[in-house]
Amino acid sequence: MNCKQVRRLLRTRSLKMDQALEVELQDHLHQCPSCQQAFAARIKLNRQIRENQPLIVPPLDREHYWLDLRQRLKPYETLTHRHFFSFMPDPALVTAAGLLILIIMVTTLPFHLAPEVRVQSSAHHEERAIRVLSVQSPDVDLTVTRYELQDSPTVVLYIRQVPLNLQEVRNQHE
Amino acid sequence: MISRDSITTAINACLAGDPESFRLIVESYQNRLIRLAYRYVHDWEEAKDVSQEVFIKVYYSLKSVDPKKSFEAWILRITVNLCLDRLRQRQIRYRHAPLVEKLYTPSFEQPDAALQGREELLALHRSLEALNDRQRTVFILRELEDLSFAEIAQVLRCRETTVRVHLFLAKKKLEALLDHPALSKGEE
């Protein structure tokens, strides 16, 4: 028997072998301190495994265990059988949340990417460029548009088609 | 062991609004889960608590049970993950404990009265703590819980060859640690 065969033998779980093989193994172990060490380590580990294996669960009061679990399950039970749509919040809240998200989106989006539109200013009859940024939400049926006048700090937020009697809103920031 | 059909029937009954039918699943697996959890947490009460937490998770996820996949592998995977979570929480607590507590608090509980004082028996538990999560799980499932490589691969969602490699590495490490117990303390 050589070192390779010993290492292969060590990989087997039980280390069971016939007498002839055992004699061969013993012969090799006498000559090879490295295999002797590896074999001793494996024997020690196997003994530890054997001693730890028969783990008997202490007697369990099944009724008590089940009742305890049922108690802990109670808050979850309703969740398990609840219809998905019962989680949906009030439509007014959804609308308000949608509106808020849109305003945040419009006010935070990079404005320089918005298309430039040239318009005739009514006050001075001169052509001015404005940038228009629109975000639409089909979920809540509304459109938020942000206009920005060229060379002017004025920003107009224009919101339309809002359900639930929300009025048209204009926010003017100077 | 409970058959796949019985599990499916029990799950369907639960989903139809009969939580009592969940008892069949609980009673079929409770001992096994407690035993497995104990291998990690080394405390029977905590192992029982982990097993209940597993059943709560299972109950809560009954809708997502895939009848084509192994229910047993799934429930064992939940147990292993919860146990590893507990150990991580324990490590965090241990790390933040005052110095005196660190010096006198054992890193695991005594298994039971019969094993108290048998230092040699505890050596394996102590060495297991020095393994990484994968190696420890593979070793526990294979050598202590006697699962096949295929079953472990299902639990860990990996290939059988990966399981074999983890087991080989775990054994090598354990052998070294059992020979030189100081190594496991030094690694902490």
Side-chain angles (χ1 to χ4, degrees):
Chain A
M1 189 174 273
N2 57 30
C3 293
K4 205 174 171 183
Q5 286 169 313
V6 172
R7 302 299 158 123
R8 198 180 298 140
L9 181 69
L10 288 181
R11 266 182 250 138
T12 62
R13 211 171 169 199
S14 60
L15 292 182
K16 275 180 187 166
M17 61 196 100
D18 57 36
Q19 211 169 356
L21 197 64
E22 199 173 338
V23 171
E24 274 186 59
L25 175 72
Q26 290 301 335
D27 284 347
H28 179 80
L29 293 181
H30 277 119
Q31 299 158 10
C32 178
S34 161
C35 285
Q36 199 177 6
Q37 200 182 356
F39 196 77
R42 181 51 53 91
I43 294 283
K44 193 173 179 182
L45 177 62
N46 281 3
R47 196 179 65 233
Q48 295 274 352
I49 292 169
R50 267 200 314 277
E51 284 171 349
N52 277 276
Q53 226 169 13
L55 191 64
I56 297 155
V57 178
L60 190 70
D61 182 347
R62 286 179 170 234
E63 194 61 34
H64 185 262
Y65 183 93
W66 170 246
L67 289 175
D68 193 21
L69 180 63
R70 284 282 278 127
Q71 200 66 31
R72 290 177 74 175
L73 274 174
K74 262 183 185 162
Y76 296 96
E77 272 173 16
T78 46
L79 284 177
T80 311
H81 303 110
R82 212 166 151 183
H83 196 267
F84 173 75
F85 291 105
S86 60
F87 285 106
M88 290 295 284
D90 195 272
L93 281 175
V94 176
T95 309
L99 184 65
L100 189 67
I101 290 164
L102 277 172
I103 290 172
I104 290 168
M105 278 174 74
V106 170
T107 51
T108 55
L109 278 173
F111 209 77
H112 61 278
L113 297 177
E116 203 175 79
V117 182
R118 304 209 64 88
V119 292
Q120 198 72 27
S121 164
S122 59
H124 305 289
H125 300 286
E126 61 182 18
E127 200 179 54
R128 295 186 71 178
I130 62 163
R131 290 190 186 277
V132 180
L133 202 64
S134 253
V135 178
Q136 286 182 312
S137 167
D139 296 337
V140 288
D141 190 25
L142 61 84
T143 304
V144 177
T145 310
R146 178 175 153 191
Y147 301 98
E148 192 174 72
L149 298 172
Q150 196 185 36
D151 306 324
S152 162
T154 307
V155 174
V156 178
L157 278 180
Y158 181 74
I159 303 164
R160 65 184 174 83
Q161 293 175 356
V162 183
L164 302 172
N165 299 323
L166 282 175
Q167 297 295 315
E168 200 172 84
V169 181
R170 275 172 194 253
N171 283 338
Q172 198 155 2
H173 301 281
E174 299 250 340
Chain B
M1 190 51 65
I2 187 171
S3 72
R4 183 175 279 209
D5 287 344
S6 310
I7 289 172
T8 312
T9 312
I11 290 171
N12 289 337
C14 279
L15 291 174
D18 173 25
E20 281 300 315
S21 54
F22 190 59
R23 189 171 182 163
L24 177 74
I25 297 174
V26 171
E27 293 197 342
S28 307
Y29 285 100
Q30 60 189 13
N31 271 7
R32 193 163 178 202
L33 296 195
I34 293 172
R35 201 178 61 218
L36 176 59
Y38 178 82
R39 300 279 191 201
Y40 287 88
V41 299
H42 304 297
D43 176 70
W44 286 117
E45 275 310 306
E46 193 171 358
K48 206 171 98 177
D49 189 54
V50 169
S51 72
Q52 290 206 340
E53 211 174 307
V54 172
F55 287 124
I56 290 168
K57 272 187 183 278
V58 168
Y59 186 83
Y60 197 43
S61 320
L62 282 179
K63 275 184 185 175
S64 60
V65 172
D66 186 350
K68 289 175 201 155
K69 290 185 181 163
S70 165
F71 181 80
E72 194 175 306
W74 181 59
I75 202 168
L76 292 179
R77 181 163 57 243
I78 294 174
T79 312
V80 168
N81 288 340
L82 273 176
C83 289
L84 293 174
D85 283 349
R86 290 273 178 127
L87 292 184
R88 270 180 222 121
Q89 284 164 12
R90 197 188 278 182
Q91 271 176 358
I92 291 167
R93 274 207 305 272
Y94 185 62
R95 205 175 294 148
H96 295 292
L99 187 62
V100 177
E101 213 174 300
K102 276 184 195 175
L103 291 172
Y104 294 103
T105 308
S107 51
F108 57 89
E109 303 291 325
Q110 297 287 326
D112 61 36
L115 295 180
Q116 272 180 12
R118 294 177 68 183
E119 189 59 29
E120 201 178 305
L121 269 180
L122 302 180
L124 184 67
H125 292 173
R126 202 172 288 129
S127 306
L128 276 173
E129 286 183 358
L131 299 183
N132 68 32
D133 290 350
R134 269 283 158 108
Q135 290 171 356
R136 186 189 312 174
T137 300
V138 167
F139 183 84
I140 288 174
L141 293 178
R142 175 66 182 156
E143 298 297 337
L144 305 178
E145 290 298 310
D146 213 23
L147 262 69
S148 69
F149 285 111
E151 286 170 320
I152 299 169
Q154 275 190 319
V155 172
L156 297 180
R157 286 177 172 161
C158 62
R159 288 182 301 172
E160 275 185 55
T161 44
T162 312
V163 175
R164 285 177 195 274
V165 170
H166 281 308
L167 184 67
F168 174 77
L169 294 174
K171 282 187 167 183
K172 289 290 273 184
K173 207 165 177 181
L174 283 173
E175 282 170 5
L177 292 171
L178 289 171
D179 251 6
H180 306 283
L183 282 177
S184 63
K185 285 167 194 163
E187 278 191 10
E188 286 300 312

